Amino acid sequence: MGEHAYIDNFLDGAKDLLGVALIIGVARGIVVVMNAGSITDTVLHWSEQLLSGLGKVAFINVVFWLELMLSFFVPSSSGLAVLSMPIMAPLAGFSDVGAEFVVTAFQSASGLLNLFNPTFAVVMGGLAIGRVPYHTWLHFCMPLVLMLFVLITLALSLSVY
């Protein structure tokens, strides 16, 4: 490959990645705005009020659903753990649920939502690289996501006993 062909191929590849870089930047910007505006803290405080005093099955399922919601806003699993675990783990003791089940609910919710989360840079970047429209991806993955949701809810419900 000659010098000019090499430069042309390099620039074509860079054009493809520019869209991905913009999508990743926007996704990260959403998280920064939520943290700077104390939106994340507000959601966590509301969650603490909601979860205290529930039974085992209700508690673990509400934690799972809540972690699903939080995973949408905070697509970083380590960032979400830092935000939610200091509240969720102590709440588990009030409902007589082991902290390991809260961690399982957290990880299951984060993994499930990150299959299709539009604020998750890996999903949006991968779709952009593959030139797959987001609505096409949703149509393809939703049956699997719904089956996994039911399976995870059932597994969490049975695990606390």
Side-chain angles (χ1 to χ4, degrees), residues 137-160:
W137 174 246
L138 281 180
H139 182 72
F140 174 78
C141 76
M142 269 310 129
L144 173 64
V145 168
L146 292 175
M147 285 188 290
L148 288 172
F149 178 84
V150 170
L151 184 64
I152 291 168
T153 301
L154 183 63
L156 286 171
S157 298
L158 294 173
S159 69
V160 293

Side-chain angles (χ1 to χ4, degrees), residues 36-61:
S38 296
I39 296 168
T40 306
D41 295 337
T42 302
V43 170
L44 287 174
H45 176 71
W46 170 80
S47 304
E48 180 182 7
Q49 300 300 315
L50 176 72
L51 293 177
S52 59
L54 292 177
K56 288 181 179 184
V57 173
F59 174 81
I60 200 65
N61 283 295

Side-chain angles (χ1 to χ4, degrees), residues 38-151:
S38 296
I39 296 168
T40 306
D41 295 337
T42 302
V43 170
L44 287 174
H45 176 71
W46 170 80
S47 304
E48 180 182 7
Q49 300 300 315
L50 176 72
L51 293 177
S52 59
L54 292 177
K56 288 181 179 184
V57 173
F59 174 81
I60 200 65
N61 283 295
V62 170
V63 167
F64 173 62
W65 300 330
L66 184 61
E67 293 288 355
L68 272 172
M69 181 187 73
L70 291 172
S71 292
F72 178 80
F73 295 113
V74 184
S76 165
S77 57
S78 57
L80 181 59
V82 167
L83 289 172
S84 66
M85 284 299 115
I87 293 173
M88 297 301 176
L91 284 177
F94 295 122
S95 296
D96 198 29
V97 173
E100 66 273 14
F101 298 114
V102 173
V103 172
T104 302
F106 154 78
Q107 193 60 47
S108 299
S110 179
L112 182 65
L113 193 72
N114 283 342
L115 291 173
F116 65 94
N117 190 353
T119 63
F120 188 47
V122 173
V123 169
M124 299 310 287
L127 292 175
I129 288 173
R131 292 184 175 88
V132 175
Y134 182 66
H135 65 86
T136 303
W137 174 246
L138 281 180
H139 182 72
F140 174 78
C141 76
M142 269 310 129
L144 173 64
V145 168
L146 292 175
M147 285 188 290
L148 288 172
F149 178 84
V150 170
L151 184 64

